[in-house]
Amino acid sequence: MEITSNFDGGNIEVVAASDPADIQLKIRLDAQSDFYQWFYFRLTGAKGQECCFKILNAAGAAYPNGFRNYRVCYSYNREQWLRHDTELEGDNLQFRFTPSQDAVYFAYFAPYPIARHEKLVAREQSADHCSLQLLGKTLDGQDFDKLCFSEPSPGSRPGKKQCWMIARQHPGETMAEWWMEGCINQLLDTSNELTRALLEQCDIHLVPNMNPDGSSRGHLRTNAAGRNLNREWAEPSMEYSPEVFLVKEAMKETGVDFLLDVHGDESLPYCFIAGTEGLSNWDAAEQAKLDFYRNVLAELNPDFQTEEGYPAKQPGQANLTMSTAQTASNHGCLAMTLEMPFKDTTATPDSQYGWSPQRSGQLAVSCLQALAAYLESGLMEKTDRRNGA
C-alpha cells in the first residue's frame, strides 16, 4: 500500500501508512505561508481492504469549520468525482473507505489540473470571436493568459461595455475554474441566442486561472511567493504578485464596466454574491445594481440564493486590497465576488456528487444570463468612485 501526491496539484504528507486501519496524514502548508486546507492524493495497493484515514492537522487548517458536515471527494478515473462521508473528531478529519480498484484519488474538491487549463485556453484559438493575450509570466515561469470574447458584427452597438470575469485567485478553490469552463463553453457557441446577445453589447475578458503557480503546487490560498492575491490589489508588484499587477494593467487598457471575481467558500453551504457596500460613496443607486444582478441570478438558478452570505460592510470600511473593492473604486463599476461551496448547498443537496464541477458550470451559464439582463436593464452606468474607500 502506498500514498503519493507527487503530481500536479497534489498535497499530502504521510505520517504513517503501513497499516490500512491507521493511515495518518498531514496537509502540507502553502509555501512561505501558514495557510493550508487543500489536499489531493492517491492511494494504491489497497483494493478490497477497509482503510481508515486520519488527517491529523485538520483542526488547525485555515478554515476548520470547513471540515464540519463535509464529505470528501474521491475518484478512480479523475473524471467523475463522487462524495464520501467524513467526520471531524478532535484534531482529525477521519473517514473509512474500501477501494474497489487498485488506485483511488481523494481531494478536498474535484481538482482542475493545469493540463486541462492549458487545453481549455488553447482550444479557444479556433474561434474567430475569441483572442488570447499572454499577459506575462508567473514567478514559476508559467504563461499567464487572458481571453477576450468579442464580436465586431454589423449589428453591434456603439460603445460596447467591457465585462471582466476572473477565477481562482485562491488556487484551492477549483470550483472557480470549473465555473470558468462552463462560461467559456457557453461563449464559444455563437449559434446560441444568449451568446449573440452578450457579444452585441459587450466584450468579455476572462482570466480562467489567476494563480497557476499555486494551482500546480497544491496550495490553498497563495501564489509561489506566499501571497494571498486577493489582498494584493492596492499595490501589486512584479516581484511578489505579478498576476494581479498584470491584470490591473490590462484593466487600465480596456476599462472595466463589470467585474465578477469567482471563488469558493470553505465553510458556508451556499452559493452567494458579496458586493462592495463598504465603499464610502455607496448609495441607493449602487445597491439597486447589486440587488438587480443577485435577484435575477436567484430567479434563474435554484442553487443560488440571496439570504445567506457575508455581512455587508459599512460605508467607508471597504478593503481596497481586494479585487472587487479596488476595481469598483478605480473604474466606477459593479464589482462582485461570487462564492460557491466546497460542501453542498443546503437547499438543493446532491447526495452523490455534492457541489460539483457540473453544477459550477451550470451556474456560470446562469451568471451570463444575469449579465445579459443587467446589460438590458440600463443600470450599467459609470459612477465616479475614485478614492471612494
Side-chain angles (χ1 to χ4, degrees):
M1 184 180 69
E2 187 171 1
I3 292 174
T4 56
S5 63
N6 189 22
F7 43 77
D8 171 31
N11 183 328
I12 209 69
E13 293 178 358
V14 178
V15 177
S18 59
D19 181 1
D22 187 24
I23 299 172
Q24 300 180 29
L25 308 169
K26 285 188 175 182
I27 304 172
R28 186 181 68 247
L29 275 65
D30 290 7
Q32 304 182 57
S33 168
D34 292 330
F35 287 115
Y36 70 88
Q37 188 136 359
W38 170 262
F39 61 86
Y40 178 25
F41 60 91
R42 185 176 81 152
L43 168 70
T44 55
K47 180 179 179 179
Q49 301 180 64
E50 184 182 59
C51 300
C52 180
F53 296 87
K54 297 178 183 177
I55 297 180
L56 304 178
N57 60 345
Y63 305 98
N65 284 336
F67 289 133
R68 299 189 186 280
N69 302 314
Y70 163 76
R71 303 175 71 222
V72 69
C73 295
Y74 74 95
S75 177
Y76 292 107
N77 57 16
R78 295 203 289 185
E79 291 292 334
Q80 182 185 54
W81 290 86
L82 304 171
R83 294 282 185 159
H84 188 77
D85 290 344
T86 68
E87 56 185 8
L88 186 63
E89 285 199 359
D91 291 341
N92 303 335
L93 180 71
Q94 300 184 166
F95 61 96
R96 294 180 178 274
F97 189 91
T98 303
S100 62
Q101 298 182 26
D102 294 322
V104 58
Y105 293 82
F106 298 96
Y108 187 33
F109 192 81
Y112 199 98
I114 287 293
R116 189 179 185 112
H117 163 82
E118 292 170 345
K119 183 178 179 180
L120 179 71
V121 171
R123 71 184 175 93
E124 316 317 320
Q125 298 178 88
S126 62
D128 292 337
H129 66 296
C130 181
S131 60
L132 183 153
Q133 180 184 2
L134 176 62
L135 295 179
K137 298 285 187 178
T138 67
L139 294 174
D140 282 345
Q142 296 194 69
D143 290 345
F144 187 58
D145 298 320
K146 177 179 82 72
L147 302 174
C148 178
F149 287 85
S150 180
E151 189 66 78
S153 63
S156 295
R157 300 182 181 183
K160 290 174 71 176
K161 302 297 184 182
Q162 303 300 310
C163 298
W164 280 74
M165 302 176 191
I166 64 176
R168 211 172 171 186
Q169 288 202 75
H170 300 144
E173 296 167 12
T174 54
M175 63 286 291
E177 196 159 6
W178 288 110
W179 182 101
M180 192 62 76
E181 182 174 300
C183 177
I184 289 172
N185 287 339
Q186 173 63 49
L187 293 174
L188 283 173
D189 183 7
T190 53
S191 67
N192 186 277
E193 182 178 349
L194 170 61
T195 301
R196 294 198 306 271
L198 283 169
L199 297 183
E200 284 179 1
Q201 300 180 78
C202 68
D203 296 332
I204 298 180
H205 305 271
L206 305 178
V207 183
N209 187 341
M210 285 286 298
N211 199 335
D213 292 350
S215 301
S216 297
R217 288 165 171 248
H219 287 185
L220 171 73
R221 203 162 175 84
T222 69
N223 71 351
R227 296 300 178 99
N228 175 354
L229 294 184
N230 205 25
R231 299 297 184 273
E232 293 286 307
W233 283 75
E235 296 181 354
S237 71
M238 287 298 292
E239 182 178 4
Y240 295 111
S241 49
E243 303 90 348
V244 175
F245 183 91
L246 293 166
V247 169
K248 281 192 73 175
E249 290 298 305
M251 285 178 166
K252 289 179 186 177
E253 293 179 8
T254 67
V256 184
D257 295 287
F258 173 93
L259 170 65
L260 191 63
D261 183 7
V262 186
H263 286 258
D265 185 277
E266 289 81 0
S267 299
L268 296 178
Y270 315 104
C271 293
F272 61 95
I273 276 177
T276 56
E277 296 94 331
L279 293 172
S280 61
N281 52 0
W282 187 264
D283 58 20
E286 301 311 313
Q287 187 68 49
K289 296 175 184 179
L290 175 61
D291 289 344
F292 179 89
Y293 188 90
R294 289 195 296 201
N295 290 336
V296 169
L297 185 54
E299 292 175 2
L300 289 167
N301 192 306
D303 287 331
F304 183 83
Q305 54 81 56
T306 60
E307 299 299 318
E308 304 288 345
Y310 303 145
K313 288 183 169 63
Q314 294 298 309
Q317 299 299 311
N319 184 347
L320 291 177
T321 68
M322 298 176 69
S323 65
T324 51
Q326 179 71 205
T327 304
S329 179
N330 288 342
H331 296 274
C333 65
L334 176 63
M336 303 172 291
T337 303
L338 173 68
E339 297 282 357
M340 293 174 283
F342 278 81
K343 300 174 182 178
D344 198 359
T345 51
T346 55
T348 55
D350 183 325
S351 61
Q352 188 173 19
Y353 297 104
W355 189 252
S356 65
Q358 293 76 17
R359 294 168 74 185
S360 301
Q362 291 164 3
L363 182 58
V365 175
S366 299
C367 288
L368 290 174
Q369 292 172 321
L371 174 58
Y374 180 56
L375 287 162
E376 289 289 348
S377 71
L379 291 170
M380 192 182 284
E381 297 177 0
K382 286 287 187 179
T383 301
D384 187 0
R385 289 191 180 166
R386 285 168 292 181
N387 302 316

